Amino acid sequence: MTPIKTPKKLIEVALPLDAINTAAAREKSIRHGHPSTLHLWWARRPLAAARAVIFAQMVNDPGYERHLGRGVNKEKAALERERLFKLIEELVQWENTNNEEVLERARAEIWKSWRETCALNKNHPQAAELFDPDKLPAFHDPFAGGGALPLEAQRLGLESYASDLNPVAVTINKAMIEIPPRFAGRAPVGPLPPGERQARLHEDWRGARGLAEDVRRYGVWMRAEAEKRIGHLYPTVTITAELAAERPDLQPLVGQKLTVIAWLWARTVKSPNPAFSHVEVPLASTFVLSSKAGKEAYVEPVVEGDRYRFTVKPGKPTEAAKRGTKLARGANFECLLSKTPIDGHYIKAEGRAGRMGARLMAIVAEGPRGRIYLPPIPEHEAIARQVEPTWRPETRLPDDPRNFWTLNYGLDTYGDLFTPRQLVALTTFSDLVSEAIARCRQDALAAGMPDDGVGLDAGGTGATAYAQAIGVYIAFAISRTADRGSTVCSWDSSPKMEALRNTFGRQAIPMTWDFAEGNPFSESSGNWLFNIEWGAKAIELFPSQVGGVVTQEDAQTQVVSTNKVVSTDPPYYDNIGYADLSDFFYVWLRRSLRPVYPGLYATLAVPKAEELVATPYRHGTKEKAEAFFLDGMTHAIHNLAEQAHPAFPVTIYYAFKQSETKGEAGTSSTGWETFLEAVIQAGFAITGTWPMRTELGNRMIGAGTNALASSIVLVCRKRAADAPTVSRREFLRELNATLPEALEAMTRGGVHSPVAPVDLSQAIIGPGMAIFSQYAAVLEADGTPMRVKTALQLINRFLAEDDFDADTQFCLHWFEQQGWAAGKYGEADVLARAKGTAVDALVAAGVVEAARGSVRLLKWRELPADWSPETDTRTPIWEALHHLIRALNTEGESAAGRLLARMPTRAEAMRALTYRLYTLCERQGWAEDARAYNELVTAWSAIEQAAGDAGMVGVQGQLGL
């Protein structure tokens, strides 16, 4: 078999990690035009990371490869990588998402590398099939999910294929990569909404702009139609003199009609106190309505015998108002009338018996200058109670106590998550989709669009398919409406919000006690036109020059990947139950889109049996769930190893829930080990692992927890069929020979870019697993194959084998045992002797305090500001490092640089100790201490530059750190 000549790709050698991570984190705060605003999907990868990874996966590394006779020498390769890095740094910026000049340069690099690869393989027997220099290979993501990867491949000029088992994910991907190219460049066909003039619209309809405009126009029409049918269910509020009698803030509004933004309800149960057992008392987690300075408001319950009513008070909320009727965490409340505790068991029993109700607490209206908070109005409550929905989704919620909490309280079906009025609104909008499609088709024909009578699902491009495409996007607005229109939505009273929270604030459906019922006809959060506009803005920015194909496929059996570039973001072990969660949207999308995609929406719920998630409730036990995941993921990834285009590595994302670093085992996580096991068993060798930090900077270490890279990109090549087997001893010998150089590259910069301590224990896995996974097996002493978990422990242990001076060795081990707390003098004396030092010497060195029979390490804040490394006759690396941290935290990077310049020979050891201490703190869960070490390495480049500016003392030239 003729071997294929495969140049190393940039991603297998180097990446500008910091630039990618910064752009990915920033993207989390961007909303307008982002695909996430079209339709919610859980754990969607940042576009910046997806774009950078696919680019680096396709572009050849410039380095010299003797066996291929290609590339340039080390110095020229470094310069060329810098040029490619600068392009990636431009490419990942949100502002350049649709910057054709930057994108064209990126596409040119991809073409250049592709043609070089084709030239190397021009004599290969399959050259015509695999290496056509005039046609780029297509892209495929077999776990397409929220569609970020296929979208970015398309943006980079590749024909993009996406597949997923989940019908909601398939529909999202169709809306992103399949529909826009099919109808690109067409002018809108819908009539302008009343009162609008053509002059305010786009002058041209390039790309998907016309599509986006028609979504907006038919969305406006649907709102008007829905308001005719159900507008009476959403009454306005007239500010009467009676309402304003005790509210000076309302007096200027007397006589005005205000639109309601939301009705705020509290769930109720009958009081457990026998004297009040006939009264339904509120379960309110808070009575606070607004905490905005100068605009504060809260609900005040007024008890009158065996009755109560709610009033609204302007002013700072009382402590009682902040607490609501809640007693403690979970479902523990008190009876408003008798103060009798109401425990969770009682509430669950009442809920399951169908005796949980709801009572209106307050009304939020649109005032001339912000929100107006009003007491309940009996007529409004009566209207809400009289609504009779004609349909409700009867699909049952999964019996998954970890992610679905409402079943304990008798809310068993998706229909139970909505009020009758919410059900009527969602049903009305859903039923209007088919009317909008019919109307759009007629308008398209009238505008001269030809019609082949073929629908969207069958590949149609005429009026019928176009109208159905508009219907798909409008149906997505219904998903947005449902997300902010269920009884899981509460009211966010914080100063910056004063708005409805959405259902999926987390990847679960929690239980809420006081909830907010929004008005789709208002002009505030969750209203229909906002949902249409958000979607239209995203559609405008979708690339449409290259085609896309989306199908429903099981990743274990699909053949779409054949000879395609593959990058994919599979499910993460047991982190997210996509299929269960997406039923929330599926039940409404099915009602609207079953005529458009009959095959996709044939079942009553999303397919779940084949979903590759380790869900214990579905499989009976944790062990069975893990076995199912490992077996299925191995099959799916084996598929990729066999099918993917042989000239490119496959990139696979893996996301951590949280690190589980305990003891000397290093970074480990059941899901991570299981996933790596699947990748290796599938026939892949891992050639790199890149930590992608996609959280906002202020979340790197948050809430007192240890936070690691939010995802790892694995770079994989098919393992050689004749890969040898080695012993544990040979594996360790190779680790010891390879990891020091890899660690130096990661912590000293170079082509790998500095890796922060927060990511180091993940990043070092790459070169370690590259050694482990290239072999058919690594055999233990008893002849059994080494497990991935063991290999990870051996790789991580490498980080702990640093060699420091005796005083620093003492400090390191004492810190590990005691932290900053005092310990017994006798124990310190024994440890000091073992390390070749003494407690008195450590006191003299200025790193510990010894008094009253105890010893403790001095914190950096306690070190003297006038310390001089030149005159200190005993300076352990520990002391030098903490003085550097003191300088950085009290005087900034310039001062730290000046200090570093005065002790250049200690720089290498200080940096190594910083990583060691960070890893130690992270394992112990000491988040605040870990922060100091992480911040030092993050600032190291700037400190080094400042040291260079100050002039190194005692060395020639610049420090090469």
Side-chain angles (χ1 to χ4, degrees), residues 447-786:
M449 189 182 292
D451 194 18
D452 49 14
V454 179
L456 192 63
D457 197 28
T461 57
T464 297
Y466 181 80
Q468 290 179 339
I470 299 301
V472 169
Y473 294 120
I474 291 172
F476 281 8
I478 294 167
S479 287
R480 284 186 60 92
T481 303
D483 187 34
R484 290 197 184 267
S486 79
T487 62
V488 181
C489 301
S490 54
W491 182 253
D492 187 342
S493 62
S494 62
K496 289 185 179 178
M497 296 303 295
E498 286 193 279
L500 289 161
R501 292 187 178 94
N502 63 324
T503 300
F504 289 105
R506 63 180 82 181
Q507 294 148 359
I509 294 183
M511 184 66 185
T512 49
W513 305 107
D514 37 282
F515 62 89
E517 185 182 16
N519 179 0
F521 305 113
S522 74
E523 293 183 8
S524 189
S525 60
N527 81 77
W528 174 255
L529 285 185
F530 270 25
N531 295 333
I532 286 287
E533 290 286 353
W534 280 103
K537 283 185 172 72
I539 298 163
E540 279 186 15
L541 297 179
F542 289 149
S544 52
Q545 301 98 318
V546 186
V549 177
V550 185
T551 52
Q552 184 180 27
E553 309 274 355
D554 185 338
Q556 298 180 66
T557 56
Q558 59 84 19
V559 293
V560 183
S561 293
T562 304
N563 294 334
K564 293 182 177 67
V565 179
V566 174
S567 184
T568 192
D569 182 22
Y572 308 136
Y573 190 57
D574 63 345
N575 288 13
I576 303 170
Y578 300 93
D580 288 332
L581 292 170
S582 57
D583 270 339
F584 178 89
F585 297 117
Y586 181 87
V587 294
W588 296 107
L589 289 171
R590 184 174 188 264
R591 186 172 175 89
S592 303
L593 297 182
R594 195 177 177 195
V596 177
Y597 294 121
L600 205 53
Y601 289 94
T603 56
L604 287 171
V606 169
K608 297 179 181 66
E610 300 87 0
E611 184 189 33
L612 284 179
V613 176
T615 314
Y617 92 87
R618 199 178 289 162
H619 298 284
T621 66
K622 189 175 180 180
E623 292 71 27
K624 286 180 181 177
E626 182 173 334
F628 168 82
F629 176 84
L630 180 58
D631 182 59
M633 192 57 72
T634 304
H635 275 102
I637 295 175
H638 178 75
N639 234 3
L640 301 184
E642 293 300 314
Q643 293 179 40
H645 197 293
F648 300 91
V650 169
T651 54
I652 304 172
Y653 291 73
Y654 181 83
F656 287 89
K657 256 173 144 176
Q658 185 65 290
S659 70
E660 297 172 9
T661 54
K662 293 174 184 173
E664 287 302 310
T667 297
S668 70
S669 144
T670 305
W672 175 227
E673 292 157 10
T674 307
F675 190 79
L676 280 177
E677 198 87 59
V679 171
I680 293 166
Q681 286 182 21
F684 271 129
I686 296 165
T687 61
T689 60
W690 295 101
M692 294 281 177
R693 298 194 309 275
T694 54
E695 298 304 318
L696 290 170
N698 59 4
R699 286 292 303 144
M700 280 306 302
I701 299 176
T705 63
N706 55 332
L708 286 178
S710 59
S711 60
I712 304 293
V713 177
L714 286 83
V715 187
C716 309
R717 291 272 191 182
K718 189 175 179 181
R719 188 166 53 247
D722 57 353
T725 297
V726 296
S727 68
R728 178 189 178 107
R729 182 177 301 215
E730 289 169 304
F731 171 56
L732 282 170
R733 189 181 302 128
E734 202 169 345
L735 275 186
N736 288 331
T738 304
L739 291 191
E741 188 178 339
L743 186 63
E744 185 179 32
M746 288 176 180
T747 58
R748 286 185 49 175
V751 297
H752 290 279
S753 166
V755 175
V758 76
D759 294 329
L760 188 62
S761 53
Q762 267 70 41
I764 200 68
I765 288 169
M769 290 309 297
I771 297 167
F772 179 76
S773 62
Q774 70 182 323
Y775 296 113
V778 174
L779 299 180
E780 298 280 16
D782 61 1
T784 59
M786 181 183 288

Side-chain angles (χ1 to χ4, degrees), residues 256-280:
Q256 290 189 29
K257 284 189 174 182
L258 305 181
T259 302
V260 174
I261 292 170
W263 291 266
L264 308 187
W265 301 80
R267 297 190 198 274
T268 60
V269 291
K270 292 282 178 63
S271 172
N273 186 311
F276 299 99
S277 60
H278 59 293
V279 183
E280 293 187 352

Side-chain angles (χ1 to χ4, degrees), residues 349-423:
E350 289 295 287
R352 286 195 289 263
R355 292 192 291 267
M356 186 178 284
R359 179 146 171 187
L360 188 61
M361 287 197 303
I363 295 172
V364 189
E366 290 176 356
R369 288 183 300 278
R371 310 284 190 252
I372 301 290
Y373 295 94
L374 302 167
I377 297 172
E379 293 79 8
H380 281 233
E381 190 159 2
I383 288 169
R385 295 196 185 284
Q386 288 162 12
V387 176
E388 291 286 344
T390 56
W391 183 82
R392 64 170 55 231
E394 298 294 348
T395 302
R396 284 189 62 80
L397 291 157
D399 189 15
D400 174 9
R402 189 180 66 168
N403 295 317
F404 293 81
W405 307 351
T406 63
L407 283 86
N408 289 327
Y409 304 97
L411 307 179
D412 300 330
T413 70
Y414 283 95
D416 293 337
L417 301 180
F418 302 92
T419 67
R421 179 161 52 187
Q422 288 171 333
L423 288 170

